[in-house]
Amino acid sequence: MVTLAEVAQHAGVSASTVSYVLSGKRSISANTRQRVEQSIRELGYHPNAGARALASSRSNIIALMIPLRTDMYVPVMMEIAIAVATTARTHGYDVLLLTGEEGPDAVRRVTGSGLADAMILMDVELDDERLPLLRDGGAPARAKPRVGDHQPSVLIGLPADTAGLTCVDLDFKATGALCVEHLAKLGHRDIAVIGEAPAVYERHTGFAERTLDGLRLRSQELGMRLLHRPCEGGYDAMAVTLARIFDERPSTTGFVVQNESAVEPLLALLRQQGRAVPEDVSVVAICPDQVATQASVRLTSVSIPAQEMGRHAVRQLVAKLDGHGSDEVVLIAPELTVRASTGPAPSATH
Amino acid sequence: MVTLAEVAQHAGVSASTVSYVLSGKRSISANTRQRVEQSIRELGYHPNAGARALASSRSNIIALMIPLRTDMYVPVMMEIAIAVATTARTHGYDVLLLTGEEGPDAVRRVTGSGLADAMILMDVELDDERLPLLRDGGAPARAKPRVGDHQPSVLIGLPADTAGLTCVDLDFKATGALCVEHLAKLGHRDIAVIGEAPAVYERHTGFAERTLDGLRLRSQELGMRLLHRPCEGGYDAMAVTLARIFDERPSTTGFVVQNESAVEPLLALLRQQGRAVPEDVSVVAICPDQVATQASVRLTSVSIPAQEMGRHAVRQLVAKLDGHGSDEVVLIAPELTVRASTGPAPSATH
DNA sequence: GTGAAAGCGCTAACAA
DNA sequence: TTGTTAGCGCTTTCAC
């Protein structure tokens, strides 16, 4: 294994010079820099991560905690994780993968050991037990965050109380509003919302409730009627839910779906009942683009900006680590893409 | 930040004693151990990861490289990643998440810097450019693997040449055979195989080809006729493929599907054509259990043992790191679960 | 612009 | 069973 000292000797300079060439923390003459870089290449030198971490009390590692239970839509989590990893690399950080299994202990362990300089938490519960450990963590008061400080952290998703926390999420309230507006413009007046499973509303309710707020508020403002029905995924549950909806409100012409595993069943059932999409009913989905484009009808949808959330979280974190403050809560503006599943309300065409 | 020295002082022992209490590498009197553990708890001590890595040249980190392109079925990758992370923790390791983006450089970087003690690679290409760096890596020749050695590594999946490599994978050949046998027992004689997209066969062909080998060999032995058709996912592609199959071989009564995104389209199309599953045709899938159980017909399937592969990979790696040798190639035996999509061949019931 | 040297916190000989 | 101590390889003050 090649050490910095060996590089120094080979280049005929001191160890500190090599170190400074690497870190760029003081100016080096072009000549010296070249010789050092040459030696580094010739010897195939790689700085030792442990030594670096010890001397600088910076590991250049970001911990990413992903939830164990996979009732969140998995591909989205994966996309976020990958975006986090690649973005982190562009800032010189590696990513440590933590599962929710250890719970708060993982936070303490990683924090206490200096294994990671900062953490990103996905799928935070509304009242998560890890939050107290994170609150006001990483306030950029000191120039150089030290091992054992509260770790700078960013949450992907919003807990109930965001005080002292930095969070990134899609603006679900605006998302709900956007869906309603789109349907309103097309002349729809009676809208049904197919929501997540009831359990979701009870548990990490955050995003589901916020979407509903947006849907309700905007539909009220626009004088539309809204029917909201949570729904377990799958054909059977969807069949029951759909029957009830048309039973209760036969005039329904617009659907908003926020539940990946209900999307295809809904489309299949509508087809089966002879209701054409978008001629008879329109469907707007809140889901990843992949789901929207690969469904049996190409769906008008508001996408979940997984990549953007991952990237954003890393940037916020890096800003904190560099001592720049950063916003508390960042809500990403939703974008609605019109595809083949929405059209003018039937009555509007008569 | 609490250091080992402070713990030592607080407990009235030497630093090395504390260290040995932690590592268990030498016997400690019950009394001393208690005092030390007490101090650790009182002071809230966490060993510093960097210092540890430097002194021991062991980071206790396993790197997991996941592919960037997501044409593999994402939830399976995620499940493997999570299994790797949780299993690693039970062995005292953390997991560093690397994306394929950096390519071979990531291997060098992690290897050279001692960031990780070992690596797990997912979705290896048949002739992957990272393999040379890994071959014969981590042969447990020396007692203590040192930074800068070739890293011990385990591949999930099989490259073309496994010499000097440790690999874990499902036994896809046996999987193919198993599917055929199941259909044979039910009296099916004409079988169609819906495969992965053509690109998959061209690229990281490994598992797809091996499955096909098993299917062909066993069907030949059992005197069955086999038609194999690669298929892009989605309804349209599936419709074309299915039409061709029945066109070419109207007597087809059994299907084997190895393509997650073809499963639901296949079922929908069969339904649409008035072919009942399993009364008219039987369908066996090779896919994750989740897909099999959530499809519109509960599918008889051979599952992809994601968790088991992840767990296995970690165990192999830990064995290597501990100096125990380990097998070169581990093929996990397939298991077929009978569900509602397979039944006696129609002719057999006449 | 460069060098010398003092640690960073821990592990693992070597001693006792 | 326990203590002493010399590093591990790097960063960073301090000095020139």
Side-chain angles (χ1 to χ4, degrees):
Chain A
M1 207 214 50
V2 187
T3 69
L4 180 146
E6 295 175 286
V7 173
Q9 193 176 4
H10 184 270
V13 297
S14 73
S16 60
T17 298
V18 177
S19 176
Y20 284 119
V21 167
L22 254 32
S23 69
K25 284 187 182 169
R26 79 180 184 192
S27 48
I28 302 281
S29 73
N31 184 357
T32 305
R33 149 164 289 120
Q34 293 219 327
R35 285 218 315 288
V36 171
E37 283 170 348
Q38 174 70 14
S39 299
I40 288 177
R41 253 175 284 119
E42 278 183 30
L43 301 181
Y45 168 72
H46 286 273
N48 179 281
R52 228 173 207 191
L54 177 55
S56 64
S57 39
R58 293 287 232 106
S59 64
N60 284 299
I61 289 178
I62 290 173
L64 174 67
M65 276 189 88
I66 61 177
L68 247 194
R69 53 184 157 65
T70 53
D71 61 353
M72 223 178 130
Y73 187 62
V74 178
V76 172
M77 286 183 19
M78 193 67 170
E79 206 179 332
I80 294 178
I82 288 179
V84 165
T86 58
T87 310
R89 281 305 305 144
T90 71
H91 291 274
Y93 288 88
D94 273 292
V95 170
L96 198 76
L97 185 68
L98 302 176
T99 64
E101 203 177 36
E102 288 178 278
D105 288 348
V107 176
R108 278 191 212 94
R109 187 170 62 83
V110 168
T111 286
S113 65
L115 224 191
D117 297 330
M119 4 193 17
I120 294 175
L121 276 74
M122 294 176 59
D123 195 34
V124 180
E125 309 257 334
L126 267 187
D127 183 23
D128 201 286
E129 45 179 351
R130 295 163 300 187
L131 296 186
L133 293 169
L134 263 25
R135 239 173 256 283
D136 291 318
R142 256 198 309 301
K144 166 176 149 186
R146 286 193 46 81
V147 172
D149 282 13
H150 276 289
Q151 226 76 1
S153 63
V154 172
L155 313 185
I156 295 182
L158 262 59
D161 175 13
T162 62
L165 297 171
T166 301
C167 313
V168 174
D169 205 354
L170 174 62
D171 188 338
F172 279 100
K173 196 170 170 193
T175 299
L178 194 56
C179 293
V180 167
E181 284 161 20
H182 176 68
L183 290 173
K185 262 188 223 132
L186 292 169
H188 297 271
R189 287 292 160 254
D190 281 296
I191 295 182
V193 178
I194 315 281
E196 300 279 358
V200 174
Y201 287 89
E202 287 152 22
R203 203 171 36 76
H204 57 28
T205 320
F207 77 98
E209 272 188 351
R210 284 184 285 132
T211 309
L212 204 50
D213 285 350
L215 288 163
R216 288 210 173 113
L217 207 70
R218 200 82 188 93
S219 59
Q220 207 173 316
E221 291 172 357
L222 297 172
M224 303 164 76
R225 299 208 299 165
L226 197 78
L227 206 59
H228 171 246
R229 291 288 173 271
C231 180
E232 306 279 352
Y235 284 79
D236 300 343
M238 190 65 244
V240 174
T241 304
L242 193 60
R244 290 224 187 108
I245 288 172
F246 278 123
D247 199 43
E248 188 165 342
R249 195 98 103 231
S251 53
T252 300
T253 60
F255 284 88
V256 177
V257 204
Q258 182 177 212
N259 183 337
E260 282 82 9
S261 57
V263 164
E264 201 53 49
L266 172 63
L267 295 174
L269 287 162
L270 289 173
R271 212 176 295 134
Q272 194 178 309
Q273 299 179 1
R275 300 178 200 263
V277 174
E279 291 77 9
D280 301 326
V281 294
S282 287
V283 177
V284 180
I286 300 168
C287 69
D289 270 343
Q290 221 210 0
V291 173
T293 56
Q294 295 195 354
S296 52
V297 178
R298 298 184 63 251
L299 295 171
T300 295
S301 72
V302 175
S303 70
I304 311 292
Q307 300 214 16
E308 200 177 343
M309 299 200 315
R311 255 184 282 137
H312 227 100
V314 172
R315 292 220 191 92
Q316 296 268 84
L317 217 41
V318 171
K320 280 193 183 189
L321 288 168
D322 290 349
H324 317 320
S326 52
D327 309 324
E328 292 288 284
V329 173
V330 175
L331 294 182
I332 297 173
E335 285 179 30
L336 185 143
T337 304
V338 179
R339 298 201 182 81
S341 66
T342 51
S347 58
T349 57
H350 291 345
Chain B
M1 207 212 52
V2 187
T3 69
L4 180 147
E6 295 174 286
V7 173
Q9 193 176 4
H10 185 270
V13 297
S14 75
S16 61
T17 297
V18 177
S19 176
Y20 284 118
V21 166
L22 255 32
S23 70
K25 286 188 182 170
R26 80 181 183 192
S27 48
I28 302 282
S29 72
N31 183 357
T32 305
R33 148 163 291 119
Q34 293 219 327
R35 284 218 315 289
V36 171
E37 283 169 347
Q38 174 71 14
S39 299
I40 288 177
R41 251 174 286 120
E42 278 183 30
L43 302 179
Y45 169 71
H46 286 273
N48 180 280
R52 232 177 205 187
L54 178 55
S56 64
S57 35
R58 294 288 231 103
S59 65
N60 283 298
I61 288 178
I62 290 174
L64 174 68
M65 275 190 90
I66 62 176
L68 247 195
R69 53 183 158 66
T70 52
D71 60 354
M72 223 177 130
Y73 187 64
V74 178
V76 172
M77 286 182 20
M78 194 69 169
E79 206 179 332
I80 294 178
I82 289 178
V84 165
T86 59
T87 310
R89 281 305 304 144
T90 71
H91 291 273
Y93 288 87
D94 273 292
V95 169
L96 198 76
L97 185 68
L98 302 176
T99 64
E101 203 178 37
E102 287 179 278
D105 288 347
V107 176
R108 277 191 213 95
R109 188 169 64 80
V110 168
T111 286
S113 65
L115 224 190
D117 297 329
M119 4 194 16
I120 294 176
L121 276 75
M122 294 177 58
D123 195 34
V124 180
E125 309 256 334
L126 267 186
D127 183 24
D128 201 286
E129 44 179 352
R130 295 162 301 187
L131 296 185
L133 293 169
L134 265 24
R135 240 173 254 285
D136 290 319
R142 255 198 312 301
K144 165 177 150 186
R146 285 193 47 81
V147 172
D149 282 11
H150 276 289
Q151 227 77 0
S153 62
V154 173
L155 313 184
I156 295 184
L158 260 58
D161 176 12
T162 63
L165 297 171
T166 301
C167 312
V168 174
D169 205 354
L170 174 62
D171 189 338
F172 280 100
K173 197 170 170 192
T175 299
L178 194 56
C179 293
V180 167
E181 283 161 20
H182 176 69
L183 291 172
K185 261 188 224 135
L186 292 169
H188 297 270
R189 287 288 161 254
D190 282 295
I191 295 182
V193 178
I194 315 282
E196 300 278 359
V200 175
Y201 287 89
E202 288 151 22
R203 203 171 36 73
H204 56 28
T205 320
F207 77 99
E209 272 187 352
R210 285 184 283 132
T211 309
L212 205 49
D213 285 351
L215 288 163
R216 289 211 171 111
L217 207 70
R218 199 81 188 96
S219 60
Q220 208 173 313
E221 291 172 358
L222 296 172
M224 305 164 76
R225 299 208 299 167
L226 197 77
L227 207 57
H228 171 245
R229 291 289 173 271
C231 181
E232 306 280 353
Y235 283 79
D236 299 343
M238 189 65 241
V240 174
T241 304
L242 192 60
R244 290 223 186 108
I245 288 172
F246 279 123
D247 200 42
E248 188 165 340
R249 194 98 102 232
S251 53
T252 301
T253 60
F255 284 89
V256 176
V257 205
Q258 181 176 212
N259 183 336
E260 282 84 8
S261 57
V263 163
E264 201 49 53
L266 173 63
L267 295 174
L269 286 162
L270 288 173
R271 210 177 296 132
Q272 194 178 312
Q273 298 179 1
R275 299 178 201 264
V277 174
E279 291 77 10
D280 300 326
V281 293
S282 288
V283 177
V284 180
I286 301 169
C287 68
D289 270 343
Q290 220 210 3
V291 174
T293 56
Q294 295 196 353
S296 52
V297 178
R298 296 185 64 252
L299 294 171
T300 295
S301 73
V302 175
S303 70
I304 311 293
Q307 300 215 17
E308 200 177 343
M309 300 199 317
R311 255 183 281 137
H312 228 99
V314 172
R315 293 221 190 91
Q316 297 267 88
L317 218 41
V318 171
K320 280 194 183 189
L321 288 169
D322 290 348
H324 318 316
S326 53
D327 309 322
E328 293 287 287
V329 173
V330 176
L331 294 182
I332 298 174
E335 284 177 30
L336 186 142
T337 304
V338 178
R339 297 203 181 82
S341 67
T342 51
S347 58
T349 57
H350 291 343

